Amino acid sequence: SMGNGVFVTGTDTGVGKTVVTAVLAHYLRRRGMDVGVMKPVETGVVSPTSATSDSTRLKEAAATQDELGLIRPYYFRTPVAPLTAARLERKPIRLPAILSAYRRLRARHEVLLVEGVGGFHVPLTKSADVLDLIQRTKLPVIVVGRVGLGGINHARLTIESLRQRKIPVIALVLNQTVRVQGAVAVQQARSTMALLREFVEVPVIGPLPYAGELECGWMSAVEKMAKAAAIKQLAGLITSSAR
């Protein structure tokens, strides 16, 4: 059973966690699996039913009928760090409420993909951050990082922190967050991939192709990326981990 699912975290904000989670959900669903998705906390949500929020996009990619209140227990309009948004909007984040929604979703689906918010040391409450939430779910982790400059240091620090907490890492997925143009940028990307494969002791997957069309055609871009060999490889690692 893959009932426990996977937690998708990132080396930073804006590295493509939502894209990786959505593409993976779409890929697994197209192969006959019952997939649930969750984004416990989201900030910068214009309206509760916004079609461009991360949670709504994950729901669409997984083609699930789960209510947004379970998929996204906490949302905030202010586009700042979760704890700051919670304080500004006087809506404190409570881990037990997140974990209750998580258990309900996990019971409904064959596999549950949970996407974090920002990097994993982003505080959710005064005493708990995303890393604490990961530990409470007892889920293995997929780390999403960027393939450009800074990617090596951020990825190694993230994986080392997870290992210190004895949280299993399924893979490091590197994403092209910007279009790689020019010989220098190509060399930087190749160097990042090569050195991470040499120095981290987890599978390094990617880089996923840059998807500039995400904003103007979300699902068509997700369907296109789901055909990438890296996604097939990632799905295989998840299945092996579940076994």
Side-chain angles (χ1 to χ4, degrees):
S1 169
M2 293 180 64
N4 283 336
V6 177
F7 200 108
V8 181
T9 190
T11 58
D12 198 354
T13 191
V15 294
K17 295 187 302 296
T18 304
V19 175
V20 171
T21 307
V23 172
L24 194 53
H26 179 75
Y27 180 93
L28 293 171
R29 181 178 66 81
R30 290 293 294 269
R31 274 142 191 83
M33 300 191 73
D34 181 355
V35 183
V37 289
M38 186 179 190
K39 172 97 178 183
V41 181
E42 186 175 1
T43 65
V45 179
V46 179
S47 74
T49 56
S50 170
T52 57
S53 73
D54 290 350
S55 308
T56 305
R57 286 177 160 180
L58 291 178
K59 178 180 167 73
E60 184 181 8
T64 175
Q65 298 303 309
D66 295 324
E67 52 270 39
L68 272 177
L70 275 184
I71 293 172
R72 180 188 62 200
Y74 290 98
Y75 73 91
F76 303 94
R77 294 178 184 274
T78 317
V80 294
L83 182 55
T84 302
R87 286 170 171 171
L88 288 172
E89 299 180 28
R90 298 183 179 181
K91 190 166 63 175
I93 297 168
R94 304 189 190 282
L95 255 59
I98 292 174
L99 292 167
S100 175
Y102 161 73
R103 285 190 290 268
R104 289 176 65 186
L105 287 171
R106 186 182 62 181
R108 291 182 183 181
H109 299 285
E110 188 178 1
V111 58
L112 179 62
L113 306 179
V114 183
E115 182 201 339
V117 53
F120 62 44
H121 276 311
V122 170
L124 300 176
T125 71
K126 193 171 182 179
S127 59
D129 57 18
V130 176
L131 187 54
D132 294 308
L133 177 60
I134 295 172
Q135 200 154 35
R136 294 284 295 276
T137 64
K138 297 183 171 64
L139 290 176
V141 167
I142 290 170
V143 177
V144 182
R146 55 173 50 90
V147 78
L149 284 178
I152 296 170
N153 184 60
H154 290 166
R156 293 186 70 189
L157 284 171
T158 300
I159 291 170
E160 179 60 29
S161 292
L162 288 164
R163 291 202 154 174
Q164 286 177 358
R165 292 278 192 107
K166 295 181 169 50
I167 297 170
V169 179
I170 292 175
L172 168 64
V173 181
L174 294 180
N175 190 32
Q176 289 183 11
T177 55
V178 295
R179 194 181 301 279
V180 177
Q181 293 180 312
V184 173
V186 170
Q187 185 180 31
Q188 289 170 346
R190 287 176 179 169
S191 168
T192 299
M193 292 293 301
L195 288 176
L196 283 171
R197 285 189 168 124
E198 181 178 350
F199 285 99
V200 301
E201 296 177 355
V202 301
V204 180
I205 293 176
L208 294 179
Y210 174 70
E213 66 272 26
L214 280 168
E215 289 305 318
C216 55
W218 169 255
M219 276 311 299
S220 61
V222 165
E223 289 167 3
K224 181 180 176 181
M225 289 185 71
K227 297 174 183 176
I231 295 299
K232 181 178 180 180
Q233 183 185 1
L234 183 59
L237 289 171
I238 292 172
T239 306
S240 297
S241 174
R243 294 197 195 104

